[in-house]
Amino acid sequence: MYSQGLIGADNRTEETPEFLARFQKRIDAEEKIEPKDEMPEGYRRTLVRQIGQHAHSEIVGMLPEGNWITRAPSLRRKAALLAKVQDEGGHGLYLYSAAETLGVSREEMTEELLSGKAKYSSIFNYPTLSWADMGTIGWLVDGAAIMNQIPLCRCSFGPYARAMIRVCKEESFHQRQGYEIVMTLAQGTPEQKVMAQDSLNRWWWPSLMMFGPHDADSQHSDQSMAWKIKRFTNDELRQKFIDATVPQAEYLGLTIPDPDLTWNEEKGGYDHGPIDWDEFWRVVKGHGPMAKDRIKARKKAWDDGAWVREAALAHAEKRRARKIAAE
Ligand code: BYC
């Protein structure tokens, strides 16, 4: 794919077969690739795409939950939700910084998000209709995120792998706070139980879609696995998630909205019903129920923050000039 004559990500190295073999040897030896190391341009671009999408997902992911902070049912719930949403902002910032080490700026990434060129996780295009959704998002969405991100702690690109270690610790707290909310509702009044079940019904299938298309339709998986950016395929992670989550739902006394869900003794995992891939692609292509609102909110935040960025730059410039004058 990356034929002789291409110039690598450092703008110096020619992507000769020898160079590509040398790079693959480092990957196969489980060495971490660091920002200033030589790397194929395709490797760099794949990481910018994935880390950028991941950062955008964290930031856009603050919106559906931020919507419920003022309506949390107690001070304890409010404090926990507020902390969770702040954590997500922090994850976005680590991830933007990790992507920046690959020579792309935060401005460029944000422009790509606002123009619709860069994606963010399909899951955040669904509305949060009840307090139970705060529980279900923590339980399922953060649960799915952990399943996907634990292997990313071993990603071949050093800054991404290191960022993921802290992110996963925090996601684990998020998952538990969500499960505790759902457990409280599931053990509560009949109305609360209905709320929890309704929320599970709405979020189950979109959560399975978070893992990406079926392996046969995943255009990037093979190369990303060879570069050890991804360690498992989309379907493998989806399966792990289902197998871990079904007993959790059983414990809660809730029903997963999939009549075809059955334990398969032979494979040692659950078989599940068909995923609506038309819905997945519609949402991924920007036609999800909340897509317009999400981008509008991000655009407003970016525009409203312009004066802060300008002030910070002016301050940095002043300090630089003062330092030069003093030398
Ligand atoms: N949504 O070849 P494929 C969180 C795109 S946030 C949208 O399999 P790849 C949290 C894909 O980008 C969790 N787009 O791709 C925050 C590609 O399109 P492009 C976010 C999707 O990259 C707040 C095309 O479909 N996590 O934890 O090998 C509150 C073909 O797919 C989706 C990450 O971002 C999707 N679901 O695999 C709570 C994890 N799936 O780019 C929680 C990092 C696929 O060619 N990312 N697409 O235009 C990954 O692990 C991988 O990028 C994916 C996709 C598994 C998502």
Side-chain angles (χ1 to χ4, degrees):
M1 181 169 34
Y2 301 101
S3 60
Q4 190 158 6
L6 264 178
I7 302 294
D10 59 4
N11 287 326
R12 286 176 278 123
T13 321
E14 263 197 42
E15 295 198 8
T16 58
E18 295 73 32
F19 162 74
L20 293 175
R22 197 163 64 236
F23 181 76
Q24 192 60 46
K25 207 166 152 205
R26 288 193 64 194
I27 297 280
D28 294 343
E30 297 289 338
E31 281 180 39
K32 285 278 177 262
I33 308 300
E34 297 298 336
K36 292 194 171 146
D37 293 352
E38 57 176 15
M39 64 181 83
E41 175 61 9
Y43 179 81
R44 189 188 75 84
R45 279 204 207 139
T46 299
L47 284 164
V48 167
R49 179 183 63 77
Q50 178 166 327
I51 304 173
Q53 165 178 308
H54 196 161
H56 297 322
S57 304
E58 296 281 356
I59 300 294
V60 176
M62 297 167 79
L63 298 169
E65 290 172 292
N67 184 32
W68 276 90
I69 291 171
T70 54
R71 290 177 286 167
S74 69
L75 185 58
R76 182 168 91 86
R77 295 291 188 211
K78 195 191 289 275
L81 185 61
L82 189 60
K84 176 183 195 269
V85 173
Q86 278 178 336
D87 284 351
E88 281 149 12
H91 299 173
L93 298 185
Y94 303 147
L95 287 162
Y96 282 129
S97 301
E100 279 180 319
T101 67
L102 290 159
V104 61
S105 71
R106 178 118 170 246
E107 282 73 14
E108 285 170 89
M109 285 184 274
T110 305
E111 273 155 25
E112 290 202 345
L113 170 71
L114 298 182
S115 72
K117 191 168 167 226
K119 296 186 168 74
Y120 59 92
S121 182
S122 50
I123 193 80
F124 301 116
N125 288 301
Y126 293 87
T128 42
L129 303 179
S130 74
W131 169 253
D133 289 358
M134 296 306 98
T136 312
I137 288 181
W139 172 30
L140 298 184
V141 176
D142 287 272
I146 295 171
M147 203 53 93
N148 167 281
Q149 287 166 194
I150 292 280
L152 289 175
C153 297
R154 292 188 293 124
C155 164
S156 58
F157 185 57
Y160 193 26
R162 289 189 288 273
M164 279 301 114
I165 293 171
R166 176 160 176 183
V167 168
C168 282
K169 285 186 184 158
E170 293 180 350
E171 299 286 26
S172 157
F173 159 74
H174 298 168
Q175 199 268 353
R176 285 175 222 189
Q177 72 90 39
Y179 194 67
E180 200 228 338
I181 292 174
V182 184
M183 188 148 48
T184 306
L185 294 172
Q187 293 171 352
T189 62
E191 288 83 357
Q192 286 174 316
K193 192 163 178 189
V194 168
M195 259 171 77
Q197 182 63 55
D198 166 67
S199 181
L200 173 58
N201 293 349
R202 285 182 289 106
W203 290 92
W204 175 254
W205 293 103
S207 298
L208 299 190
M209 293 174 193
M210 282 177 74
F211 294 95
H214 196 293
D215 287 354
D217 299 317
S218 168
Q219 75 216 65
H220 303 297
S221 276
D222 288 350
Q223 183 60 75
S224 288
M225 300 271 285
W227 277 329
K228 297 190 196 287
I229 293 171
K230 284 167 86 158
R231 297 276 177 166
F232 296 96
T233 70
N234 300 353
D235 287 336
E236 283 168 348
L237 289 174
R238 193 169 9 248
Q239 184 69 49
K240 277 173 185 279
F241 173 74
I242 294 170
D243 293 344
T245 311
V246 173
Q248 295 169 357
E250 280 168 2
Y251 183 77
L252 293 169
L254 297 178
T255 308
I256 293 200
D258 179 357
D260 296 330
L261 199 64
T262 37
W263 176 256
N264 181 329
E265 192 63 49
E266 214 170 289
K267 80 171 179 187
Y270 285 89
D271 288 333
H272 61 85
I275 294 175
D276 183 348
W277 293 116
D278 290 343
E279 173 180 326
F280 171 77
W281 288 116
R282 243 188 347 265
V283 175
V284 166
K285 287 179 183 153
H287 306 293
M290 297 300 287
K292 282 208 176 81
D293 298 66
R294 301 294 184 236
I295 292 300
K296 199 170 146 205
R298 284 309 305 143
K299 184 170 179 346
K300 181 172 182 324
W302 185 248
D303 292 346
D304 288 353
W307 72 270
V308 180
R309 295 192 296 278
E310 281 159 24
L313 277 175
H315 180 65
E317 181 54 35
K318 226 189 218 173
R319 281 182 62 154
R320 197 184 64 87
R322 236 185 260 144
K323 200 169 161 220
I324 291 172
E327 277 167 4

